[in-house]
C-alpha cells in the first residue's frame, strides 16, 4: 500500500486515516487529547473507553467500526492525486477489551494487521473471529500480514487462559481446597494492567464468590465495561486485591507482609524473574528471554519434545511471597504458527520490535508461506 494513506497504531503526521487496534499504552504512544490530524477508526468498546484515557479528546474524530462489516474509505493518492478506495473490516483480536485486527483490501491487494491478539483453540470467541476472517477473505490471498510476534520464538509455550486461570485459583486461599490450607489466612494481591485480564478476575470472583478490590481508576474502567457491583474499592470487603502492575514489586509484598500475611500472583506470558525461588531470598527483577519451558523447534518446524501442558505444577514460586502464572493475552508460538497456516500470507512483518524475545516471523514461519525472505526491519508503516 502506498505511504500517506493509512497508519495503524502509528501517530506521526502524514496519513489520511488512522487505525487503533487497542488502548494499551504501547499502541497509543504519540496519541494525545489534543489530536486533530485526521479521523481515528477503532472498535465500539475502544471508543467507549477512549474518553477515559484521553480526557477532552474531540470525539467527533472517532469512527466506530462494528465487527465483521466492511467499511469503505475514499482517500487521495499522494503520488498521483487520484481517488483511492480502501475497504476495511474489524475482527475480534481477543487480546483485551476492544482489541481488534484490521483487514484492508483495495487496488493494492489485501493486507491484515493483527494488532495484539490471542486466538486459542477450542475457544468460542476466536472460533467466531476465525470464521469471520475466512468469510471476509473468501478466495483473496493476504498479500501482507502484520503479525503480533511478541512470542514468536519456540521458547514460549504456555497454557490457555482458562487453564492459567485455574492455576491462579490453585494458590488462592479457599477452604474448599485442602492444598491451600497454608494460605487460608493470607491476603492475595494480583498484578494487572490498567486494561486486560478481566476474564481472569471474573473467573476468580465467580469461583470463590468474593468481590475483588481494584484501584479507583480501574473501577471506573470496570463500570464502563459493564461490570457493576462485583468489584470494590473498599479493602474491608475482600482479601483479594488486583493492584496496578507497575506497583507490584517485592518491596510492596514485603511491606504488606509486615501488616498481614500476603501472597502475590503475577499473571503474565513471560516468566517474571530469572529463576525460581530457592529459599535464599534473592530475586532478580527481569524477564527471562531464553531457557524457560523450552520446546525444541527448528526453523523447519520439527518439534522434539512436549509443549507446556498447563498442569498446576507449572505455577512457579519466585519469592517466598510471589508466584508467577503464565496467563498471556498474546498468542503462544504454536498459536502463531496455527494462525499463519490459516492465513497463508505472501509476506509478513512483525509489529513488535521492542521485545527482547521477538524474532522476525519469517525465520520460523517462512516455510509455511513457501517464500524465503531475508530478515527485515520490524516496522508497522503502511
Amino acid at each position: 500500500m502506498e505511504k500517506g494513506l493509512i497508519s495503524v497504531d502509528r501517530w506521526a503526521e502524514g496519513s489520511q486515516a488512522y487505525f487503533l487496534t487497542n488502548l494499551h499504552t504501547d499502541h497509543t504512544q504519540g496519541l494525545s487529547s489534543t489530536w486533530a490530524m485526521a479521523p481515528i477508526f477503532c472498535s465500539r468498546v475502544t471508543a467507549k473507553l477512549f474518553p477515559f484515557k484521553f480526557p477532552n479528546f474531540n470525539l467527533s474524530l472517532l469512527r466506530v467500526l462494528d465487527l465483521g462489516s466492511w467499511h469503505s474509505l475514499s482517500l487521495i493518492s499522494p503520488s498521483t492525486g487520484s481517488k483511492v478506495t480502501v475497504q476495511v473490516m474489524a475482527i475480534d483480536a481477543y487480546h483485551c477489551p476492544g482489541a481488534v485486527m484490521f483487514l484492508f483490501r483495495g487496488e493494492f491487494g489485501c493486507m491484515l494487521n493483527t494488532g495484539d491478539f490471542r486466538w486459542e483453540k477450542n475457544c468460542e470467541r476466536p472460533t467466531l473471529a476465525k470464521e469471520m476472517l475466512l468469510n471476509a477473505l473468501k478466495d483473496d490471498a493476504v498479500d501482507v500480514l502484520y503479525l503480533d510476534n511478541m512470542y514468536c520464538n519456540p521458547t514460549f509455550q504456555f497454557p490457555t487462559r482458562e487453564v492459567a486461570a485455574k492455576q491462579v485459583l490453585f494458590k488462592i486461599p479457599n477452604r474448599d481446597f485442602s492444598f491451600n490450607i497454608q494460605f487460608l489466612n493470607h491476603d492475595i494481591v494480583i498484578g494487572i494492567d490498567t486494561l486486560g485480564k478481566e476474564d481472569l478476575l471474573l473467573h476468580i470472583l465467580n469461583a470463590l464468590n468474593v468481590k475483588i478490590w481494584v484501584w479507583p481508576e480501574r473501577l471506573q474502567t470496570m463500570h464502563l465495561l459493564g461490570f457493576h457491583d462485583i468489584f470494590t474499592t473498599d479493602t474491608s470487603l475482600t482479601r483479594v486485591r488486583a493492584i496496578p502492575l507497575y506497583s507490584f514489586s517485592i518491596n510492596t509484598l514485603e511491606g504488606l507482609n509486615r501488616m498481614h500475611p500476603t501472597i502475590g500472583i503475577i499473571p503474565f506470558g513471560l516468566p517474571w524473574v530469572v529463576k525460581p525461588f530457592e529459599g535464599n531470598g534473592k530475586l532478580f527483577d527481569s524477564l527471562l528471554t531464553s531457557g524457560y519451558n523450552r520446546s525444541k523447534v527448528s526453523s523447519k518446524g520439527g518439534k522434539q519434545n512436549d509443549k507446556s501442558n498447563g498442569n498446576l505444577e507449572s505455577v512457579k514460586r519466585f519469592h517466598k511471597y510471589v508466584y508467577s502464572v503464565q496467563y498471556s493475552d498474546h498468542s503462544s508460538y504454536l498459536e502463531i504458527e496455527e494462525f499463519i497456516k490459516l492465513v497463508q500470507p505472501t509476506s509478513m512483518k512483525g509489529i513488535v520490535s521492542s521485545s527482547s524475545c521477538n524474532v522476525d516471523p519469517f525465520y520460523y514461519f517462512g516455510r509455511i508461506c513457501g517464500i524465503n525472505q531475508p530478515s527485515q526491519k520490524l516496522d508497522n508503516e503502511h
Side-chain angles (χ1 to χ4, degrees):
M1 182 186 293
E2 184 180 5
K3 287 191 175 182
L5 293 177
I6 69 171
S7 289
V8 179
D9 295 338
R10 294 294 181 96
W11 310 104
E13 193 173 354
S15 294
Q16 299 169 49
Y18 292 78
F19 293 82
L20 176 61
T21 60
N22 71 73
L23 273 173
H24 279 160
T25 301
D26 56 328
H27 293 259
T28 60
Q29 291 177 359
L31 184 58
S32 71
S33 296
T34 60
W35 175 269
M37 283 195 282
I40 297 175
F41 294 82
C42 63
S43 70
R44 190 168 296 278
V45 173
T46 293
K48 187 175 184 179
L49 297 172
F50 203 94
F52 184 60
K53 187 174 181 71
F54 297 105
N56 303 316
F57 186 89
N58 180 2
L59 297 180
S60 68
L61 290 171
L62 289 186
R63 303 285 189 272
V64 171
L65 296 179
D66 288 321
L67 300 181
S69 297
W70 285 108
H71 181 85
S72 204
L73 287 73
S74 292
L75 307 175
I76 303 297
S77 168
S79 60
T80 66
S82 59
K83 178 181 175 181
V84 177
T85 299
V86 176
Q87 289 187 307
V88 59
M89 179 184 290
I91 299 170
D92 188 2
Y94 200 24
H95 168 69
C96 69
V100 291
M101 303 178 179
F102 290 116
L103 178 64
F104 299 94
R105 68 182 182 189
E107 293 181 0
F108 52 84
C110 185
M111 184 176 74
L112 176 62
N113 189 307
T114 68
D116 294 339
F117 83 105
R118 187 166 192 194
W119 281 8
E120 296 143 304
K121 280 187 175 181
N122 305 318
C123 187
E124 183 179 6
R125 276 178 57 185
T127 298
L128 293 174
K130 182 188 301 184
E131 292 175 358
M132 185 179 294
L133 175 60
L134 293 177
N135 289 336
L137 286 172
K138 295 182 179 177
D139 296 326
D140 289 341
V142 173
D143 298 295
V144 184
L145 171 64
Y146 290 87
L147 177 71
D148 175 8
N149 58 314
M150 180 69 168
Y151 296 131
C152 185
N153 189 311
T155 298
F156 300 111
Q157 312 294 339
F158 37 77
T160 65
R161 281 172 286 195
E162 181 181 0
V163 170
K166 293 176 181 178
Q167 294 176 351
V168 173
L169 283 174
F170 182 75
K171 287 301 176 187
I172 292 183
N174 182 356
R175 285 180 170 80
D176 292 335
F177 300 102
S178 60
F179 47 71
N180 283 327
I181 194 70
Q182 61 177 319
F183 296 135
L184 280 178
N185 296 315
H186 285 61
D187 286 350
I188 307 296
V189 295
I190 304 168
I192 61 170
D193 292 315
T194 56
L195 184 67
K197 305 291 193 296
E198 290 79 12
D199 286 349
L200 171 61
L201 299 183
L202 291 173
H203 188 92
I204 293 169
L205 64 86
N206 287 329
L208 302 183
N209 194 27
V210 297
K211 289 188 175 185
I212 294 180
W213 180 94
V214 293
W215 63 103
E217 293 80 8
R218 197 53 154 101
L219 185 64
Q220 288 182 263
T221 298
M222 294 301 194
H223 288 170
L224 288 170
L225 293 172
F227 302 123
H228 300 282
D229 303 323
I230 54 178
F231 296 95
T232 181
T233 54
D234 186 345
T235 55
S236 68
L237 296 180
T238 180
R239 291 187 295 136
V240 182
R241 285 172 281 169
I243 68 172
L245 192 59
Y246 59 77
S247 68
F248 190 101
S249 68
I250 298 306
N251 288 338
T252 298
L253 268 297
E254 289 177 341
L256 290 172
N257 272 276
R258 284 193 285 270
M259 296 181 286
H260 186 86
T262 304
I263 63 169
I265 297 174
I266 189 76
F268 196 51
L270 281 172
W272 191 52
V273 291
V274 170
K275 60 181 180 179
F277 177 63
E278 296 177 349
N280 57 11
K282 295 181 180 179
L283 188 76
F284 301 89
D285 292 310
S286 63
L287 296 178
L288 180 65
T289 58
S290 64
Y292 182 92
N293 198 18
R294 183 177 297 276
S295 177
K296 296 179 181 178
V297 182
S298 72
S299 61
K300 298 185 182 298
K303 186 168 179 291
Q304 298 177 356
N305 65 329
D306 292 337
K307 65 177 181 177
S308 169
N309 60 13
N311 61 50
L312 296 178
E313 293 180 357
S314 66
V315 177
K316 299 294 181 180
R317 188 181 188 185
F318 287 120
H319 183 268
K320 61 182 177 180
Y321 303 136
V322 180
Y323 290 86
S324 176
V325 179
Q326 286 187 293
Y327 185 105
S328 176
D329 289 323
H330 292 266
S331 293
S332 69
Y333 175 84
L334 292 178
E335 289 163 350
I336 294 172
E337 181 177 47
E338 288 301 311
F339 182 79
I340 294 172
K341 287 179 179 178
L342 175 74
V343 174
Q344 290 285 316
T346 301
S347 178
M348 57 185 163
K349 299 179 181 180
I351 64 172
V352 180
S353 59
S354 59
S355 171
S356 60
C357 63
N358 79 77
V359 175
D360 185 329
F362 257 93
Y363 180 78
Y364 289 113
F365 302 126
R367 58 187 165 78
I368 297 175
C369 304
I371 296 175
N372 293 320
Q373 177 172 307
S375 297
Q376 301 181 16
K377 178 183 177 182
L378 300 180
D379 63 281
N380 195 20
E381 297 177 359
H382 309 314

